[in-house]
């Protein structure tokens, strides 16, 4: 996907100024400093991936409702993640131009567009039909040609397109899904937000042969993805 990069704010364009402020005031202070990630954030038009009624929230450090009423969006987890969380996930996964990426939870398609800006191809699975269609329309409108959205349950449906170099869960789970690890290539990485309220951990798993190395470098929070196992957080 080829898009022009914004290297500085255009003071005469309030949208470009807001995008510049988002990167400088939200993204960089969260230790997102890799230039290719900052370039993706500059190039992908975040404002095109939010509903018209939420345009004013596009660059704010909040989760944005994607479908239904705000109350329904919160209850069902139909929210766009805060930009700093998406950016930090993107940086820590270290996407390469040759990577084949699987995303679980397409939402509005924004994370898929960021991934597609860096990777060779992206497959994004979405279990909610309305969101799957929304993501397809948004990606098409933004000119993204190397990302595909498929209506599917990422927790249990088969993945004939695999294996993948990178798997991203764009939402939280109680534990790393062991079944998804088997769909990683040698050297492949999985990124997920793992745990329970009020504090979860960004968790990254790298495959080396039949071994998996796990790191959990930072705290955050994200709505639950549908369909994944929900074991009790309490151990006896």
């Amino acid at each position: 996907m080829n898009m022009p990069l914004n290297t500085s704010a255009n003071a005469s364009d309030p949208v470009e100024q807001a995008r510049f402020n988002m990167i400088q005031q939200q993204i960089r202070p969260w230790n997102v400093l890799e230039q290719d990630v900052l370039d993706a954030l500059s190039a992908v038009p975040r404002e095109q991936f939010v509903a018209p009624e939420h345009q004013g929230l596009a660059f704010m450090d909040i989760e944005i409702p994607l479908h239904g009423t705000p109350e329904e969006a919160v209850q069902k987890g139909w929210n766009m993640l805060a930009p700093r969380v998406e950016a930090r996930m993107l940086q820590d996964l270290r996407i390469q131009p040759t990577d084949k990426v699987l995303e679980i939870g397409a939402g509005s398609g924004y994370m898929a567009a960021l991934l597609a800006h860096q990777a060779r191809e992206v497959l994004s699975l979405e279990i909610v039909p309305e969101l799957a269609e929304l993501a397809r329309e948004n990606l098409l409108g933004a000119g993204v040609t190397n990302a595909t959205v498929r209506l599917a349950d990422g927790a249990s449906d088969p993945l004939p397109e695999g294996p993948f170099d990178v798997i991203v869960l764009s939402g939280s789970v109680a534990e790393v899904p062991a079944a998804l690890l088997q769909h990683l290539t040698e050297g492949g990485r999985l990124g997920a937000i793992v745990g329970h309220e009020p504090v979860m951990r960004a968790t990254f798993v790298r495959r080396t042969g039949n071994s998996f190395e796990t790191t959990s470098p930072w705290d955050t929070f994200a709505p639950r993805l549908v369909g994944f196992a929900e074991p009790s957080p309490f151990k006896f």
Side-chain angles (χ1 to χ4, degrees), residues 48-145:
Q48 294 184 22
F49 291 84
V50 303
E53 63 269 26
H54 299 311
Q55 287 286 307
L57 306 177
F59 302 103
M60 295 182 68
D61 187 23
I62 60 172
E63 295 178 0
I64 302 174
L66 293 176
H67 182 67
T69 65
E71 294 76 17
E72 186 179 22
V74 169
Q75 181 183 16
K76 297 187 177 182
W78 295 344
N79 291 314
M80 191 175 186
L81 296 178
R84 58 188 171 88
V85 174
E86 293 167 315
R88 187 75 181 270
M89 289 287 290
L90 198 64
Q91 175 172 273
D92 287 359
L93 284 165
R94 301 190 179 281
I95 308 297
Q96 302 300 309
T98 56
D99 281 345
K100 182 178 182 180
V101 180
L102 171 68
E103 180 193 25
I104 309 293
S108 70
Y110 179 66
M111 187 62 168
L114 290 175
L115 292 163
H117 191 271
Q118 295 186 290
R120 174 169 57 91
E121 62 179 293
V122 177
L123 170 64
S124 186
L125 305 184
E126 176 55 61
I127 196 171
V128 180
E130 295 88 346
L131 293 183
E133 185 58 30
L134 174 66
R136 289 191 195 104
E137 291 176 357
N138 288 341
L139 289 164
L140 180 64
V144 181
T145 58

Side-chain angles (χ1 to χ4, degrees), residues 3-228:
M3 289 183 175
L5 302 186
N6 302 310
T7 56
S8 62
N10 182 345
S12 64
D13 186 333
V15 172
E16 291 307 315
Q17 183 66 55
R19 191 186 331 279
F20 180 81
N21 292 344
M22 175 189 75
I23 293 171
Q24 298 301 319
Q25 298 172 12
Q26 299 175 39
I27 307 302
R28 283 183 175 273
W30 241 47
N31 293 322
V32 179
L33 303 173
E34 293 292 334
Q35 192 58 50
D36 57 347
V37 176
L38 299 177
D39 288 346
L41 292 162
S42 294
V44 176
R46 183 176 171 86
E47 69 278 8
Q48 294 184 22
F49 291 84
V50 303
E53 63 269 26
H54 299 311
Q55 287 286 307
L57 306 177
F59 302 103
M60 295 182 68
D61 187 23
I62 60 172
E63 295 178 0
I64 302 174
L66 293 176
H67 182 67
T69 65
E71 294 76 17
E72 186 179 22
V74 169
Q75 181 183 16
K76 297 187 177 182
W78 295 344
N79 291 314
M80 191 175 186
L81 296 178
R84 58 188 171 88
V85 174
E86 293 167 315
R88 187 75 181 270
M89 289 287 290
L90 198 64
Q91 175 172 273
D92 287 359
L93 284 165
R94 301 190 179 281
I95 308 297
Q96 302 300 309
T98 56
D99 281 345
K100 182 178 182 180
V101 180
L102 171 68
E103 180 193 25
I104 309 293
S108 70
Y110 179 66
M111 187 62 168
L114 290 175
L115 292 163
H117 191 271
Q118 295 186 290
R120 174 169 57 91
E121 62 179 293
V122 177
L123 170 64
S124 186
L125 305 184
E126 176 55 61
I127 196 171
V128 180
E130 295 88 346
L131 293 183
E133 185 58 30
L134 174 66
R136 289 191 195 104
E137 291 176 357
N138 288 341
L139 289 164
L140 180 64
V144 181
T145 58
N146 59 330
T148 302
V149 178
R150 178 155 67 83
L151 182 63
D153 183 348
S156 60
D157 284 357
L159 294 169
E161 299 91 347
F164 303 92
D165 302 297
V166 175
I167 298 177
V168 185
L169 279 68
S170 289
S172 69
V173 288
E175 58 186 16
V176 173
L180 287 179
L181 296 177
Q182 302 307 315
H183 293 282
L184 287 174
T185 60
E186 172 70 20
R189 293 89 68 205
L190 178 144
I193 296 169
V194 179
H196 301 268
E197 295 187 62
V199 178
M200 302 173 182
R201 299 284 291 174
T203 301
F204 302 91
V205 184
R206 175 181 288 271
R207 180 172 193 167
T208 305
N210 290 321
S211 298
F212 299 91
E213 178 185 359
T214 301
T215 58
S216 299
W218 43 278
D219 294 341
T220 188
F221 174 81
R224 273 290 192 254
L225 288 172
V226 174
F228 289 91

